[in-house]
Amino acid sequence: MTETTAAPPAATPPPPKPRPGKPTLFDCPACGGAIKLNAVGHSVSAVCMHCGSLVDTNHKTLRLLQRAHEKLRPSVLTLGARGMLAGKKWQVIGWIEKQDTASRSTWDEFLLFNPYYGFRFLVHADGHWSLLGVVKQSVAAPEGLRSLEFERQHFTIFQEGETKVTYAAGEFYWRVNRGETTKVQDFIAPPFLLSIERADDELNVAYGEYVSAKAVAAAFGAGDRFPTPRGVAPNQPSPYTAKLRAIIKPSFIFIAAAILVQIGAIVLSDNRVLVEKQFVTRAADKEKTVVIPALQLSNELADVVVETRSNLNNQWLEVDFQLVNEKTDQSYIFRNAMDYYSGYDGGESWSEGSNHTDSVLPMVPGGEYTLIAEVDSSVTAAGQDVSWTLRVRRDVALWANFWTALALATLIPLYLGFRYFGFEKQRWSQSDHAPSWYTESEEN
């Protein structure tokens, strides 16, 4: 008897995607104008584009909910327009204009529909756009909340208040009534926005992110009449955040390297004092030449620092130096000029100038040198003597290069930080919950 093996059952094909309902036309019970429903089976109310009346499309006889006599207003986006946004194709089926009851500022909320992905809200204010979807999971958001965590993002309260529907057109999956009010809290974590609306015992949460005006215009063909963005939107991403993050780490590495190099220079430098002498310049000593011979510099290349310190008091002193190599006659010519003046004016003291100055000669070869100094001063009479000190050092760890490197390493981060702060200050200027560091300067 031959054993047979049963064939495996055929794989069950996946269920076909539901076909979108075809648009349906109805007659408005108020004016008889045609009402076109795009989200058939989803929409429960529609606003007649001819007279503005609100119609219950969920009722077999199209029950009139609110009669009006107003033609469709022009809007930024055309009802019925289709376009690709965030990788999906949407149709604009509804438009609501809302107003903040306190500030009287208005904005638009366009209802988008896709038969496979449902509904989204495209919110427009001052040329800025955000694409939001209703959040189905519960969000713990008691009134008075100032921050919350959602989708691994930390959200901060930006604004709260009462909003009112001032205009509506198109179709909606809920009943829209002009004049209805809701309490709203908007939380931001740019580019994300979390909006919480409360009406009676009902709570609705919408979550989404900022969309560029260029993307919206390209999707729905708004053309030249598309508004230019003004100011900074609550959830608009800062153009400086990514730049700051990209530059901060390299800057810290560069600064750390500069510090290590400077520490190494300090440790390894000889910092030998070759000359330290004190002189007194009198009226008779003006234009006197001082010669310091036999300065022995080590053979390697290194810097020479010539320092002068004085006790000037409403006087000036200039010393013209010449450092001459005895073997090669190579000369280094430089001047140390000092002046210091002080006094009282209007009961307040003042001062200017300095009693000390330094000259740095980089990369001076070793050998035997002579230092020649010619002194000139404002001393003209007895009793005006000036005491000054000369010190010459070899192989000194200099700080000028370090401070220059530090300035270069911090210049770009500071600039970007300044621009970032300005951008955020402009954003939070619209909020009643701005962090203190964005409001302190205005209060002061």
Side-chain angles (χ1 to χ4, degrees):
M1 185 175 182
T2 305
E3 185 177 356
T4 60
T5 303
T12 304
K17 291 184 178 180
R19 295 183 61 188
K22 294 182 179 180
T24 303
L25 292 175
F26 297 95
D27 292 333
C28 173
C31 70
I35 297 177
K36 182 180 180 180
L37 290 185
N38 295 280
V40 178
H42 299 279
S43 297
V44 299
S45 66
V47 177
C48 177
M49 298 174 63
H50 304 281
C51 69
S53 297
L54 178 63
V55 180
D56 183 358
T57 61
N58 217 20
H59 197 272
K60 292 181 179 180
T61 59
L62 294 182
R63 182 176 56 183
L64 184 65
L65 297 175
Q66 189 177 32
R67 183 183 294 274
H69 299 282
E70 183 179 1
K71 292 183 180 180
L72 181 67
R73 296 183 191 173
S75 64
V76 178
L77 300 183
T78 303
L79 291 178
R82 300 173 186 267
M84 292 290 296
L85 195 62
K88 298 179 178 63
K89 191 169 185 178
W90 302 99
Q91 183 179 15
V92 182
I93 66 170
W95 167 36
I96 299 176
E97 181 188 75
K98 289 187 176 180
Q99 182 186 74
D100 184 278
T101 57
S103 66
R104 301 296 180 182
S105 60
T106 61
W107 64 94
D108 303 313
E109 295 183 4
F110 294 94
L111 182 63
L112 308 183
F113 176 68
N114 180 298
Y116 302 117
Y117 299 103
F119 298 92
R120 296 291 187 275
F121 291 94
L122 188 57
V123 182
H124 166 249
D126 295 327
H128 297 278
W129 300 84
S130 293
L131 183 62
L132 308 177
V134 174
V135 176
K136 294 183 178 179
Q137 66 263 42
S138 61
V139 175
E143 291 191 57
L145 192 67
R146 291 295 171 261
S147 64
L148 56 85
E149 301 292 327
F150 182 78
E151 294 290 330
R152 299 182 179 180
Q153 293 280 346
H154 180 77
F155 284 82
T156 304
I157 184 72
F158 185 84
Q159 58 193 9
E160 58 185 336
E162 185 181 69
T163 66
K164 180 174 68 173
V165 175
T166 56
Y167 183 79
E171 59 186 282
F172 307 92
Y173 64 85
W174 75 99
R175 288 188 174 88
V176 177
N177 295 308
R178 293 193 193 185
E180 66 180 354
T181 59
T182 55
K183 292 183 178 179
V184 177
Q185 287 179 298
D186 286 339
F187 295 81
I188 62 168
F192 301 104
L193 172 67
L194 191 70
S195 184
I196 301 173
E197 291 191 356
R198 293 179 174 85
D200 298 327
D201 295 331
E202 186 179 357
L203 184 144
N204 293 306
V205 181
Y207 167 76
E209 63 182 306
Y210 187 88
V211 181
S212 71
K214 184 182 295 185
V216 177
F220 299 107
D224 296 337
R225 59 190 176 86
F226 209 65
T228 302
R230 300 193 308 272
V232 176
N235 61 319
Q236 182 179 353
S238 171
Y240 307 105
T241 302
K243 294 177 182 178
L244 264 176
R245 289 174 179 170
I247 198 67
I248 285 295
K249 186 176 180 180
S251 295
F252 273 120
I253 293 174
F254 186 85
I255 291 171
I259 292 173
L260 291 176
V261 169
Q262 185 66 14
I263 291 174
I266 293 171
V267 172
L268 297 176
S269 63
D270 192 17
N271 197 24
R272 181 178 300 176
V273 178
L274 304 178
V275 176
E276 187 161 12
K277 290 187 177 183
Q278 188 169 8
F279 302 89
V280 176
T281 298
R282 301 178 175 87
D285 298 329
K286 291 181 61 176
E287 300 182 4
K288 180 179 180 181
T289 300
V290 177
V291 179
I292 301 174
L295 287 179
Q296 295 294 333
L297 305 186
S298 55
N299 291 327
E300 70 274 9
L301 286 171
D303 55 48
V304 174
V305 178
V306 180
E307 304 169 356
T308 50
R309 304 288 185 268
S310 66
N311 65 344
L312 295 174
N313 184 19
N314 292 317
Q315 296 165 307
W316 58 266
L317 178 72
E318 292 181 353
V319 185
D320 290 318
F321 289 101
Q322 186 176 7
L323 183 66
V324 183
N325 188 310
E326 295 295 342
K327 184 176 181 180
T328 65
D329 286 334
Q330 182 180 4
S331 297
Y332 299 87
I333 300 173
F334 54 97
R335 171 182 289 181
N336 281 15
M338 298 168 286
D339 59 81
Y340 182 79
Y341 295 91
S342 62
Y344 288 88
D345 185 12
E348 295 184 0
S349 62
W350 60 270
S351 64
E352 62 181 15
S354 175
N355 266 317
H356 58 84
T357 187
D358 303 336
S359 290
V360 178
L361 308 179
M363 307 299 286
V364 179
E368 185 174 315
Y369 287 79
T370 297
L371 182 63
I372 303 171
E374 294 184 359
V375 183
D376 193 9
S377 169
S378 60
V379 176
T380 58
Q384 296 181 349
D385 301 350
V386 173
S387 175
W388 61 280
T389 301
L390 169 66
R391 185 167 70 161
V392 181
R393 291 187 294 156
R394 171 70 164 172
D395 191 14
V396 181
L398 302 177
W399 287 89
N401 292 338
F402 172 75
W403 293 121
T404 300
L406 204 64
L408 291 175
T410 56
L411 184 62
I412 296 177
L414 286 175
Y415 170 77
L416 292 176
F418 178 78
R419 297 301 299 269
Y420 172 85
F421 181 86
F423 187 91
E424 292 300 317
K425 187 173 182 179
Q426 190 176 359
R427 180 204 307 280
W428 287 101
S429 65
Q430 309 171 60
S431 172
D432 294 329
H433 303 282
S436 58
W437 49 86
Y438 293 122
T439 58
E440 284 179 351
S441 59
E442 295 179 359
E443 292 173 356
N444 295 335

